Coordinates of all heavy atoms in Angstrom, one line a residue:
M1 N -7.3 -12.6 -28.2 CA -5.9 -12.4 -27.8 C -5.5 -10.9 -28.0 O -4.8 -10.4 -27.2 CB -5.0 -13.3 -28.6 CG -3.6 -13.4 -28.1 SD -3.6 -14.2 -26.5 CE -2.0 -14.5 -26.2
D2 N -6.0 -10.3 -29.0 CA -5.7 -8.9 -29.3 C -6.3 -8.0 -28.2 O -5.7 -7.0 -27.8 CB -6.2 -8.5 -30.7 CG -5.4 -9.1 -31.8 OD1 -4.2 -9.4 -31.5 OD2 -5.9 -9.3 -32.9
K3 N -7.5 -8.4 -27.7 CA -8.2 -7.6 -26.7 C -7.4 -7.7 -25.4 O -7.2 -6.7 -24.7 CB -9.6 -8.2 -26.5 CG -10.6 -7.1 -26.4 CD -12.0 -7.8 -26.3 CE -12.9 -6.6 -26.4 NZ -14.3 -6.9 -26.2
L4 N -6.8 -8.8 -25.1 CA -6.0 -8.9 -23.9 C -4.7 -8.1 -24.0 O -4.3 -7.4 -23.1 CB -5.6 -10.4 -23.7 CG -4.7 -10.7 -22.5 CD1 -5.4 -10.3 -21.2 CD2 -4.2 -12.1 -22.5
K5 N -4.1 -8.1 -25.2 CA -2.9 -7.2 -25.4 C -3.2 -5.8 -25.3 O -2.5 -5.0 -24.7 CB -2.3 -7.5 -26.8 CG -1.6 -8.9 -26.8 CD -0.9 -9.0 -28.2 CE -0.2 -10.4 -28.3 NZ 0.4 -10.6 -29.6
E6 N -4.4 -5.4 -25.8 CA -4.8 -4.0 -25.7 C -5.0 -3.6 -24.2 O -4.6 -2.5 -23.8 CB -6.1 -3.7 -26.5 CG -5.9 -3.8 -28.0 CD -7.2 -3.6 -28.7 OE1 -8.2 -3.3 -28.1 OE2 -7.2 -3.9 -29.9
R7 N -5.7 -4.5 -23.5 CA -5.9 -4.2 -22.1 C -4.6 -4.1 -21.3 O -4.5 -3.2 -20.4 CB -6.8 -5.3 -21.5 CG -7.2 -5.1 -20.1 CD -8.1 -3.9 -20.0 NE -8.5 -3.7 -18.6 CZ -8.7 -2.6 -18.0 NH1 -8.6 -1.5 -18.7 NH2 -8.9 -2.5 -16.7
L8 N -3.7 -5.0 -21.6 CA -2.4 -5.0 -20.9 C -1.6 -3.7 -21.2 O -1.0 -3.1 -20.4 CB -1.6 -6.2 -21.2 CG -2.0 -7.5 -20.6 CD1 -1.2 -8.6 -21.2 CD2 -2.0 -7.4 -19.1
E9 N -1.7 -3.2 -22.5 CA -1.1 -1.9 -22.8 C -1.7 -0.8 -22.1 O -1.0 0.2 -21.7 CB -1.2 -1.7 -24.4 CG -0.2 -2.6 -25.2 CD 1.2 -2.2 -24.9 OE1 1.5 -1.0 -24.7 OE2 2.0 -3.1 -24.8
E10 N -3.1 -0.8 -22.0 CA -3.7 0.3 -21.2 C -3.3 0.3 -19.8 O -3.0 1.4 -19.2 CB -5.2 0.1 -21.3 CG -5.9 0.3 -22.6 CD -7.4 0.0 -22.6 OE1 -8.0 -0.1 -21.5 OE2 -7.9 -0.1 -23.7
I11 N -3.2 -0.9 -19.2 CA -2.7 -1.0 -17.8 C -1.3 -0.5 -17.7 O -0.9 0.3 -16.7 CB -2.9 -2.4 -17.3 CG1 -4.4 -2.8 -17.1 CG2 -2.2 -2.6 -15.9 CD1 -4.6 -4.2 -16.8
K12 N -0.4 -0.9 -18.6 CA 1.0 -0.4 -18.6 C 1.1 1.1 -18.7 O 1.8 1.7 -18.0 CB 1.7 -1.1 -19.8 CG 3.1 -0.7 -19.9 CD 3.8 -1.4 -21.0 CE 5.1 -0.8 -21.4 NZ 5.7 -1.4 -22.6
E13 N 0.3 1.7 -19.6 CA 0.3 3.2 -19.7 C -0.2 3.9 -18.5 O 0.4 4.9 -18.1 CB -0.6 3.6 -20.9 CG 0.0 3.2 -22.3 CD -0.9 3.5 -23.4 OE1 -1.9 4.2 -23.2 OE2 -0.6 3.0 -24.5
K14 N -1.2 3.3 -17.8 CA -1.7 3.9 -16.6 C -0.7 3.8 -15.5 O -0.5 4.8 -14.7 CB -3.0 3.2 -16.1 CG -4.2 3.6 -17.0 CD -5.4 2.9 -16.5 CE -6.6 3.2 -17.3 NZ -7.8 2.5 -16.9
L15 N 0.0 2.7 -15.4 CA 1.0 2.5 -14.3 C 2.2 3.4 -14.6 O 2.9 3.9 -13.6 CB 1.5 1.1 -14.3 CG 0.5 0.1 -13.7 CD1 1.0 -1.3 -13.8 CD2 0.2 0.4 -12.3
L16 N 2.6 3.8 -15.8 CA 3.7 4.6 -16.1 C 3.5 6.0 -15.7 O 4.4 6.8 -15.4 CB 4.1 4.5 -17.6 CG 4.7 3.2 -18.0 CD1 4.9 3.2 -19.5 CD2 6.0 3.0 -17.3
V17 N 2.2 6.5 -15.7 CA 2.0 7.9 -15.4 C 1.5 8.1 -13.9 O 1.4 9.2 -13.5 CB 0.9 8.5 -16.3 CG1 1.4 8.5 -17.7 CG2 -0.4 7.8 -16.2
M18 N 1.5 7.0 -13.1 CA 1.0 7.2 -11.8 C 2.2 7.6 -10.9 O 3.4 7.3 -11.1 CB 0.5 5.8 -11.2 CG -0.8 5.4 -11.9 SD -1.4 3.8 -11.3 CE -1.9 4.2 -9.7
D19 N 1.9 8.4 -9.9 CA 2.9 8.8 -8.9 C 2.6 8.1 -7.6 O 1.7 7.4 -7.4 CB 3.1 10.3 -8.8 CG 1.8 10.9 -8.2 OD1 0.8 10.3 -8.1 OD2 1.9 12.1 -7.9
R20 N 3.4 8.4 -6.5 CA 3.2 7.7 -5.3 C 1.9 8.1 -4.6 O 1.4 7.3 -3.8 CB 4.4 7.9 -4.4 CG 4.5 9.3 -3.8 CD 5.7 9.4 -2.8 NE 5.8 10.7 -2.2 CZ 6.4 11.7 -2.8 NH1 7.0 11.6 -3.9 NH2 6.4 12.9 -2.1
Y21 N 1.4 9.2 -4.9 CA 0.1 9.6 -4.3 C -1.0 8.8 -4.9 O -2.1 8.6 -4.3 CB -0.2 11.1 -4.4 CG 0.8 11.9 -3.7 CD1 1.7 12.8 -4.3 CD2 0.9 11.8 -2.3 CE1 2.6 13.5 -3.6 CE2 1.8 12.5 -1.6 CZ 2.7 13.4 -2.2 OH 3.6 14.1 -1.5
D22 N -0.9 8.3 -6.1 CA -1.9 7.4 -6.7 C -1.9 6.0 -6.0 O -2.9 5.4 -5.9 CB -1.7 7.3 -8.2 CG -1.9 8.6 -8.9 OD1 -2.8 9.4 -8.5 OD2 -1.3 8.8 -9.9
Y23 N -0.7 5.6 -5.6 CA -0.5 4.3 -5.0 C -0.9 4.4 -3.5 O -1.4 3.4 -2.9 CB 0.9 3.8 -5.1 CG 1.3 3.4 -6.5 CD1 2.3 4.2 -7.1 CD2 0.7 2.4 -7.2 CE1 2.7 3.9 -8.4 CE2 1.1 2.1 -8.5 CZ 2.1 2.8 -9.1 OH 2.5 2.5 -10.3
F24 N -0.7 5.5 -2.9 CA -1.0 5.7 -1.4 C -1.9 7.0 -1.3 O -1.4 8.0 -1.0 CB 0.3 5.9 -0.6 CG 1.2 4.7 -0.8 CD1 2.3 4.9 -1.5 CD2 1.0 3.6 -0.1 CE1 3.2 3.8 -1.7 CE2 1.8 2.5 -0.3 CZ 3.0 2.6 -1.1
P25 N -3.2 6.8 -1.6 CA -4.1 8.0 -1.6 C -4.2 8.6 -0.2 O -4.6 9.8 -0.1 CB -5.4 7.5 -2.1 CG -5.3 6.0 -1.9 CD -3.9 5.6 -2.0
L26 N -4.0 7.9 0.9 CA -4.1 8.4 2.2 C -3.0 9.5 2.4 O -3.3 10.5 3.1 CB -3.9 7.3 3.3 CG -4.2 7.7 4.7 CD1 -5.6 8.2 4.8 CD2 -3.9 6.5 5.6
N27 N -1.8 9.3 1.8 CA -0.8 10.4 1.9 C -1.2 11.6 1.2 O -0.7 12.7 1.5 CB 0.5 9.8 1.3 CG 1.1 8.7 2.1 OD1 0.5 8.2 3.1 ND2 2.2 8.3 1.7
K28 N -2.0 11.5 0.2 CA -2.5 12.7 -0.5 C -3.6 13.4 0.2 O -3.7 14.6 0.3 CB -3.0 12.3 -1.9 CG -3.4 13.4 -2.8 CD -3.8 12.9 -4.2 CE -4.2 14.0 -5.1 NZ -4.5 13.4 -6.5
K29 N -4.4 12.6 0.9 CA -5.6 13.1 1.6 C -5.2 13.9 2.9 O -5.7 14.9 3.3 CB -6.5 12.0 2.0 CG -7.8 12.4 2.6 CD -8.7 11.2 2.8 CE -10.1 11.6 3.2 NZ -11.0 10.5 3.4
I30 N -4.1 13.3 3.6 CA -3.6 14.0 4.8 C -2.3 14.6 4.4 O -1.3 13.9 4.3 CB -3.5 13.0 5.9 CG1 -4.8 12.3 6.2 CG2 -2.9 13.6 7.2 CD1 -4.8 11.2 7.3
P31 N -2.2 15.9 4.3 CA -0.9 16.5 3.9 C 0.2 16.3 4.9 O -0.1 16.4 6.1 CB -1.2 18.0 3.7 CG -2.5 18.2 4.4 CD -3.2 16.9 4.5
T32 N 1.4 16.2 4.5 CA 2.5 15.9 5.4 C 3.3 17.2 5.7 O 4.5 17.1 6.1 CB 3.4 14.8 4.9 OG1 3.9 15.2 3.6 CG2 2.7 13.5 4.8
Y33 N 2.7 18.3 5.5 CA 3.5 19.6 5.8 C 3.5 19.9 7.3 O 4.4 20.7 7.7 CB 2.8 20.7 5.1 CG 2.9 20.6 3.6 CD1 1.8 20.4 2.8 CD2 4.2 20.6 2.9 CE1 1.9 20.2 1.4 CE2 4.3 20.4 1.6 CZ 3.1 20.2 0.8 OH 3.2 20.1 -0.5
E34 N 2.6 19.3 8.1 CA 2.6 19.5 9.5 C 3.1 18.1 10.2 O 2.6 17.1 9.7 CB 1.3 19.9 10.0 CG 0.8 21.2 9.5 CD -0.6 21.5 10.0 OE1 -1.1 20.9 10.9 OE2 -1.2 22.5 9.5
M35 N 3.9 18.2 11.2 CA 4.4 17.0 11.8 C 3.3 16.2 12.5 O 3.4 14.9 12.5 CB 5.5 17.4 12.8 CG 6.2 16.2 13.3 SD 7.0 15.2 12.0 CE 8.4 16.1 11.7
I36 N 2.3 16.8 13.0 CA 1.2 16.0 13.6 C 0.5 15.1 12.6 O 0.1 14.0 12.9 CB 0.2 16.9 14.3 CG1 -0.8 16.1 15.2 CG2 -0.6 17.8 13.3 CD1 -0.2 15.5 16.4
N37 N 0.4 15.6 11.4 CA -0.2 14.7 10.3 C 0.7 13.6 10.0 O 0.3 12.5 9.7 CB -0.5 15.6 9.1 CG -1.7 16.5 9.3 OD1 -2.5 16.4 10.2 ND2 -1.7 17.5 8.4
C38 N 2.0 13.8 10.0 CA 3.0 12.7 9.7 C 2.9 11.7 10.8 O 2.9 10.5 10.5 CB 4.4 13.3 9.7 SG 4.7 14.5 8.3
V39 N 2.7 12.1 12.0 CA 2.6 11.1 13.2 C 1.3 10.3 13.0 O 1.3 9.1 13.2 CB 2.7 11.9 14.5 CG1 2.3 11.0 15.6 CG2 4.0 12.5 14.7
K40 N 0.2 11.0 12.6 CA -1.0 10.3 12.4 C -0.9 9.2 11.3 O -1.3 8.1 11.4 CB -2.1 11.3 12.0 CG -2.6 12.1 13.1 CD -3.7 13.1 12.6 CE -4.1 14.1 13.7 NZ -5.0 15.1 13.2
L41 N -0.2 9.6 10.2 CA -0.1 8.7 9.1 C 0.8 7.5 9.5 O 0.5 6.3 9.1 CB 0.5 9.4 7.9 CG -0.4 10.2 7.0 CD1 0.4 11.0 6.0 CD2 -1.4 9.3 6.3
I42 N 1.9 7.8 10.2 CA 2.8 6.7 10.6 C 2.0 5.8 11.6 O 2.1 4.5 11.5 CB 4.0 7.3 11.3 CG1 4.9 7.9 10.2 CG2 4.8 6.2 12.1 CD1 6.1 8.7 10.8
G43 N 1.2 6.3 12.4 CA 0.4 5.5 13.3 C -0.6 4.7 12.6 O -0.9 3.5 12.9
I44 N -1.2 5.2 11.6 CA -2.2 4.4 10.7 C -1.5 3.3 10.1 O -2.0 2.1 10.1 CB -2.9 5.4 9.7 CG1 -3.9 6.3 10.5 CG2 -3.7 4.6 8.7 CD1 -4.4 7.4 9.6
Y45 N -0.4 3.6 9.5 CA 0.3 2.5 8.7 C 0.9 1.4 9.7 O 0.9 0.2 9.4 CB 1.5 3.1 7.9 CG 1.0 3.7 6.6 CD1 1.2 5.0 6.3 CD2 0.2 2.9 5.7 CE1 0.7 5.5 5.1 CE2 -0.2 3.4 4.5 CZ 0.0 4.8 4.2 OH -0.5 5.3 3.1
I46 N 1.3 1.8 10.9 CA 1.8 0.8 11.9 C 0.6 0.0 12.4 O 0.7 -1.2 12.5 CB 2.5 1.5 13.0 CG1 3.9 2.0 12.5 CG2 2.7 0.6 14.2 CD1 4.7 2.8 13.5
A47 N -0.5 0.6 12.6 CA -1.7 -0.1 13.1 C -2.2 -1.1 12.0 O -2.6 -2.3 12.3 CB -2.8 0.8 13.4
A48 N -2.1 -0.7 10.7 CA -2.5 -1.6 9.6 C -1.5 -2.7 9.5 O -1.9 -3.9 9.3 CB -2.5 -0.8 8.3
L49 N -0.2 -2.5 9.7 CA 0.8 -3.5 9.7 C 0.5 -4.5 10.8 O 0.6 -5.8 10.6 CB 2.2 -2.9 9.8 CG 3.3 -3.9 9.8 CD1 3.4 -4.6 8.4 CD2 4.6 -3.2 10.0
I50 N 0.2 -4.1 12.0 CA -0.1 -5.0 13.1 C -1.3 -5.8 12.8 O -1.3 -7.0 13.1 CB -0.2 -4.2 14.4 CG1 1.1 -3.6 14.8 CG2 -0.8 -5.0 15.5 CD1 1.1 -2.6 16.0
A51 N -2.3 -5.2 12.2 CA -3.5 -5.9 11.9 C -3.2 -7.0 10.8 O -3.7 -8.1 10.9 CB -4.6 -4.9 11.3
F52 N -2.5 -6.7 9.8 CA -2.1 -7.7 8.8 C -1.2 -8.8 9.3 O -1.3 -9.9 8.9 CB -1.5 -7.0 7.6 CG -2.5 -6.3 6.7 CD1 -2.5 -4.9 6.5 CD2 -3.5 -7.0 6.1 CE1 -3.4 -4.3 5.7 CE2 -4.5 -6.4 5.3 CZ -4.4 -5.0 5.1
I53 N -0.4 -8.4 10.3 CA 0.4 -9.5 10.9 C -0.5 -10.4 11.7 O -0.3 -11.7 11.7 CB 1.5 -8.9 11.8 CG1 2.6 -8.3 10.9 CG2 2.1 -9.9 12.7 CD1 3.6 -7.5 11.7
A54 N -1.5 -9.8 12.4 CA -2.4 -10.6 13.1 C -3.2 -11.5 12.2 O -3.5 -12.7 12.5 CB -3.4 -9.8 13.9
I55 N -3.6 -11.0 11.0 CA -4.4 -11.8 10.1 C -3.5 -13.0 9.6 O -3.9 -14.1 9.5 CB -4.8 -11.0 8.9 CG1 -6.0 -10.1 9.3 CG2 -5.2 -11.8 7.7 CD1 -6.4 -9.1 8.2
F56 N -2.2 -12.7 9.3 CA -1.3 -13.7 8.9 C -1.1 -14.8 9.9 O -1.2 -16.0 9.6 CB 0.1 -13.1 8.5 CG 1.1 -14.0 8.0 CD1 1.1 -14.4 6.7 CD2 2.0 -14.6 8.9 CE1 2.0 -15.3 6.2 CE2 3.0 -15.5 8.4 CZ 3.0 -15.8 7.1
V57 N -0.9 -14.4 11.2 CA -0.5 -15.4 12.2 C -1.8 -16.1 12.7 O -1.9 -17.3 12.8 CB 0.2 -14.7 13.3 CG1 0.4 -15.6 14.5 CG2 1.6 -14.2 12.8
L58 N -2.8 -15.3 13.2 CA -3.9 -15.9 13.9 C -4.9 -16.6 13.0 O -5.3 -17.7 13.2 CB -4.7 -14.8 14.7 CG -3.8 -14.1 15.8 CD1 -4.7 -13.0 16.4 CD2 -3.4 -15.1 16.8
L59 N -5.2 -16.0 11.9 CA -6.2 -16.6 11.0 C -5.5 -17.6 10.0 O -6.2 -18.4 9.4 CB -6.9 -15.6 10.2 CG -7.8 -14.7 11.0 CD1 -8.5 -13.6 10.1 CD2 -8.9 -15.4 11.8
G60 N -4.2 -17.5 9.9 CA -3.5 -18.5 9.0 C -3.1 -19.8 9.6 O -2.6 -20.6 9.0
L61 N -3.5 -20.0 10.9 CA -3.0 -21.2 11.6 C -4.1 -22.3 11.7 O -3.9 -23.4 11.2 CB -2.5 -20.9 13.0 CG -1.2 -20.1 13.0 CD1 -0.9 -19.8 14.4 CD2 -0.1 -20.9 12.4
G62 N -5.2 -22.0 12.3 CA -6.2 -23.0 12.7 C -7.2 -23.3 11.7 O -8.1 -24.1 11.9
L63 N -7.2 -22.8 10.5 CA -8.3 -23.0 9.5 C -7.9 -24.0 8.5 O -6.7 -24.4 8.4 CB -8.6 -21.7 8.8 CG -9.1 -20.5 9.8 CD1 -9.2 -19.2 9.0 CD2 -10.4 -20.9 10.4
P64 N -8.8 -24.5 7.7 CA -8.4 -25.5 6.6 C -7.4 -24.9 5.7 O -7.2 -23.6 5.6 CB -9.7 -25.7 5.9 CG -10.8 -25.4 6.9 CD -10.2 -24.3 7.8
A65 N -6.7 -25.7 5.0 CA -5.5 -25.3 4.2 C -5.7 -24.2 3.2 O -5.0 -23.2 3.2 CB -4.9 -26.6 3.5
W66 N -6.7 -24.3 2.4 CA -6.9 -23.3 1.4 C -7.3 -21.9 2.0 O -6.9 -20.9 1.5 CB -7.9 -23.7 0.3 CG -9.3 -23.9 0.7 CD1 -9.8 -25.0 1.3 CD2 -10.3 -22.9 0.7 NE1 -11.2 -24.7 1.6 CE2 -11.5 -23.5 1.2 CE3 -10.4 -21.6 0.2 CZ2 -12.7 -22.8 1.3 CZ3 -11.6 -20.9 0.2 CH2 -12.7 -21.5 0.8
I67 N -8.1 -21.9 3.1 CA -8.5 -20.7 3.7 C -7.3 -20.1 4.4 O -7.0 -18.9 4.4 CB -9.6 -20.9 4.7 CG1 -10.9 -21.4 3.9 CG2 -9.9 -19.7 5.5 CD1 -12.1 -21.8 4.8
S68 N -6.5 -21.0 5.0 CA -5.2 -20.5 5.7 C -4.3 -19.8 4.7 O -3.7 -18.8 5.0 CB -4.5 -21.7 6.3 OG -3.3 -21.4 6.8
W69 N -4.1 -20.4 3.5 CA -3.2 -19.8 2.5 C -3.8 -18.5 2.0 O -3.1 -17.5 1.8 CB -3.0 -20.7 1.3 CG -2.0 -21.7 1.6 CD1 -2.1 -23.0 2.0 CD2 -0.6 -21.5 1.6 NE1 -0.9 -23.6 2.2 CE2 0.1 -22.7 1.9 CE3 0.2 -20.4 1.3 CZ2 1.4 -22.8 2.0 CZ3 1.6 -20.5 1.4 CH2 2.2 -21.7 1.7
L70 N -5.1 -18.4 1.9 CA -5.8 -17.1 1.5 C -5.4 -16.0 2.5 O -5.1 -14.9 2.1 CB -7.3 -17.3 1.4 CG -8.1 -16.1 1.0 CD1 -7.7 -15.6 -0.4 CD2 -9.5 -16.3 1.1
F71 N -5.6 -16.3 3.8 CA -5.3 -15.3 4.8 C -3.8 -15.0 4.9 O -3.5 -13.8 5.2 CB -5.8 -15.7 6.2 CG -7.3 -15.5 6.4 CD1 -8.2 -16.6 6.6 CD2 -7.9 -14.3 6.3 CE1 -9.5 -16.5 6.7 CE2 -9.2 -14.1 6.4 CZ -10.1 -15.2 6.7
K72 N -3.0 -16.0 4.6 CA -1.5 -15.7 4.6 C -1.2 -14.7 3.5 O -0.4 -13.8 3.6 CB -0.8 -17.0 4.5 CG -0.8 -17.7 5.8 CD 0.1 -19.0 5.7 CE 0.0 -19.8 7.0 NZ 0.8 -21.0 7.0
I73 N -1.8 -15.0 2.3 CA -1.5 -14.1 1.1 C -2.0 -12.7 1.4 O -1.3 -11.7 1.2 CB -2.2 -14.7 -0.1 CG1 -1.4 -16.0 -0.5 CG2 -2.2 -13.7 -1.3 CD1 -2.1 -16.7 -1.7
I74 N -3.2 -12.6 2.0 CA -3.8 -11.3 2.3 C -2.9 -10.6 3.3 O -2.6 -9.4 3.2 CB -5.2 -11.4 2.9 CG1 -6.2 -11.8 1.7 CG2 -5.7 -10.1 3.5 CD1 -7.5 -12.2 2.2
G75 N -2.4 -11.3 4.3 CA -1.5 -10.7 5.3 C -0.2 -10.2 4.8 O 0.2 -9.2 5.1
V76 N 0.4 -11.0 3.9 CA 1.7 -10.6 3.3 C 1.5 -9.4 2.4 O 2.2 -8.4 2.5 CB 2.3 -11.8 2.5 CG1 3.5 -11.3 1.7 CG2 2.8 -12.9 3.5
V77 N 0.5 -9.4 1.5 CA 0.3 -8.3 0.6 C -0.1 -7.0 1.4 O 0.5 -5.9 1.1 CB -0.8 -8.7 -0.4 CG1 -1.2 -7.4 -1.2 CG2 -0.4 -9.8 -1.3
G78 N -1.0 -7.1 2.3 CA -1.3 -6.0 3.2 C -0.2 -5.5 4.0 O 0.0 -4.3 4.1
G79 N 0.7 -6.4 4.5 CA 1.8 -6.0 5.3 C 2.8 -5.2 4.4 O 3.4 -4.2 4.8
V80 N 3.1 -5.7 3.2 CA 4.0 -5.1 2.3 C 3.5 -3.7 1.9 O 4.3 -2.7 1.9 CB 4.3 -6.0 1.1 CG1 5.1 -5.2 0.0 CG2 5.1 -7.2 1.5
Y81 N 2.2 -3.6 1.7 CA 1.6 -2.3 1.3 C 1.7 -1.3 2.5 O 2.1 -0.1 2.3 CB 0.1 -2.5 0.9 CG -0.5 -1.2 0.5 CD1 -0.3 -0.7 -0.7 CD2 -1.3 -0.5 1.4 CE1 -0.9 0.5 -1.1 CE2 -1.9 0.7 1.0 CZ -1.7 1.2 -0.2 OH -2.3 2.4 -0.6
S82 N 1.5 -1.8 3.7 CA 1.7 -0.9 4.9 C 3.1 -0.5 5.0 O 3.4 0.7 5.4 CB 1.2 -1.7 6.1 OG -0.1 -2.0 6.1
L83 N 4.1 -1.4 4.9 CA 5.5 -1.0 5.0 C 5.8 0.0 3.9 O 6.6 1.0 4.1 CB 6.4 -2.2 4.8 CG 6.5 -3.1 6.1 CD1 7.3 -4.3 5.8 CD2 7.1 -2.3 7.2
L84 N 5.4 -0.2 2.7 CA 5.6 0.8 1.6 C 5.0 2.1 1.9 O 5.6 3.2 1.6 CB 5.2 0.2 0.3 CG 6.0 -1.0 -0.3 CD1 5.4 -1.5 -1.5 CD2 7.5 -0.6 -0.5
G85 N 3.8 2.1 2.4 CA 3.1 3.4 2.8 C 3.9 4.1 3.9 O 4.0 5.3 3.9
F86 N 4.4 3.3 4.9 CA 5.2 3.9 5.9 C 6.5 4.6 5.3 O 6.8 5.7 5.7 CB 5.6 2.8 6.9 CG 6.4 3.2 8.0 CD1 5.9 3.9 9.1 CD2 7.8 3.0 8.0 CE1 6.7 4.3 10.2 CE2 8.6 3.4 9.1 CZ 8.0 4.0 10.2
C87 N 7.1 3.9 4.4 CA 8.3 4.4 3.7 C 7.9 5.7 2.9 O 8.7 6.6 2.8 CB 8.9 3.4 2.8 SG 9.7 2.0 3.7
A88 N 6.8 5.7 2.3 CA 6.4 6.9 1.5 C 6.2 8.1 2.4 O 6.5 9.2 2.1 CB 5.1 6.6 0.8
V89 N 5.6 7.8 3.6 CA 5.5 8.9 4.6 C 6.9 9.4 5.0 O 7.1 10.6 5.1 CB 4.7 8.5 5.8 CG1 4.7 9.6 6.9 CG2 3.3 8.2 5.5
L90 N 7.8 8.5 5.3 CA 9.2 8.9 5.7 C 9.8 9.7 4.5 O 10.5 10.7 4.8 CB 10.0 7.7 6.0 CG 9.6 7.0 7.3 CD1 10.5 5.8 7.5 CD2 9.6 7.9 8.5
Y91 N 9.6 9.3 3.3 CA 10.1 10.0 2.1 C 9.5 11.5 2.1 O 10.3 12.4 1.9 CB 9.8 9.3 0.9 CG 10.3 10.0 -0.4 CD1 11.7 10.0 -0.7 CD2 9.5 10.7 -1.2 CE1 12.2 10.7 -1.8 CE2 9.9 11.4 -2.3 CZ 11.3 11.4 -2.6 OH 11.7 12.0 -3.7
D92 N 8.2 11.6 2.3 CA 7.6 12.9 2.4 C 8.2 13.8 3.5 O 8.4 15.0 3.3 CB 6.1 12.8 2.5 CG 5.4 12.3 1.3 OD1 6.0 12.4 0.2 OD2 4.2 11.9 1.4
I93 N 8.5 13.1 4.6 CA 9.0 13.9 5.7 C 10.4 14.4 5.3 O 10.8 15.6 5.6 CB 9.1 13.0 7.0 CG1 7.7 12.8 7.5 CG2 10.0 13.7 8.1 CD1 7.7 11.8 8.7
T94 N 11.2 13.6 4.7 CA 12.6 14.0 4.3 C 12.5 15.1 3.2 O 13.4 16.0 3.2 CB 13.4 12.9 3.7 OG1 12.8 12.3 2.6 CG2 13.6 11.8 4.8
Q95 N 11.5 15.1 2.4 CA 11.3 16.2 1.4 C 10.8 17.5 2.0 O 11.2 18.5 1.5 CB 10.4 15.7 0.3 CG 10.9 14.5 -0.5 CD 12.3 14.9 -1.2 OE1 12.4 15.9 -1.8 NE2 13.2 14.0 -1.0
N96 N 9.9 17.4 3.0 CA 9.3 18.6 3.5 C 10.2 19.2 4.6 O 10.0 20.4 4.8 CB 7.9 18.2 4.1 CG 7.0 17.9 3.0 OD1 7.1 18.3 1.9 ND2 6.0 17.1 3.4
Y97 N 11.0 18.5 5.4 CA 11.7 19.0 6.5 C 13.2 18.9 6.3 O 13.9 18.3 7.1 CB 11.2 18.3 7.8 CG 9.8 18.4 8.1 CD1 8.9 17.4 7.8 CD2 9.3 19.6 8.6 CE1 7.5 17.5 8.1 CE2 7.9 19.7 8.8 CZ 7.1 18.7 8.6 OH 5.7 18.8 8.8
Q98 N 13.7 19.5 5.3 CA 15.2 19.4 5.1 C 15.8 20.6 5.7 O 15.4 21.7 5.8 CB 15.5 19.5 3.6 CG 15.1 18.2 3.0 CD 15.5 18.1 1.5 OE1 16.1 19.1 1.0 NE2 15.3 17.0 0.8

């Protein structure tokens, strides 16, 4: 039990020092100082969102129950991550182009 508590404390400490570039490394890799890069990032996140919606809808319907739920969970988590990445790009745009 102590080992689990130590591991949870380590994870908590790592999460406290992370910034948005650690959560969205694509935003760090492609700098948002040029508008063309911002458009590329927005396109990537929108394409990922469409792909995760397709996974949620198409693969979540006709398969057995437990596989369907698995794809629905993957679709929701990936979709939320894509939306948050899109919002992070918009935040970078507001910070860079004031």
Side-chain angles (χ1 to χ4, degrees):
M1 192 67 167
D2 290 333
K3 227 175 184 184
L4 177 64
K5 286 183 181 180
E6 290 176 11
R7 182 67 181 148
L8 289 175
E9 284 295 322
E10 288 176 16
I11 292 172
K12 179 182 168 186
E13 289 174 11
K14 285 181 184 178
L15 289 175
L16 288 175
V17 297
M18 292 177 72
D19 62 352
R20 71 177 183 275
Y21 295 118
D22 293 327
Y23 293 113
F24 304 104
L26 189 59
N27 295 5
K28 185 177 184 180
K29 189 174 185 179
I30 301 175
T32 56
Y33 296 113
E34 296 179 13
M35 190 53 81
I36 190 70
N37 290 340
C38 296
V39 172
K40 288 178 188 177
L41 282 171
I42 289 172
I44 290 169
Y45 282 120
I46 289 175
L49 181 62
I50 291 170
F52 283 118
I53 289 172
I55 287 173
F56 180 83
V57 173
L58 299 176
L59 295 177
L61 291 178
L63 298 173
W66 67 275
I67 297 175
S68 174
W69 278 101
L70 177 68
F71 281 117
K72 286 181 180 179
I73 290 171
I74 291 171
V76 168
V77 170
V80 169
Y81 181 79
S82 297
L83 281 175
L84 291 175
F86 180 79
C87 291
V89 172
L90 293 179
Y91 178 75
D92 286 344
I93 289 172
T94 60
Q95 295 300 310
N96 293 335
Y97 299 104
Q98 288 185 0

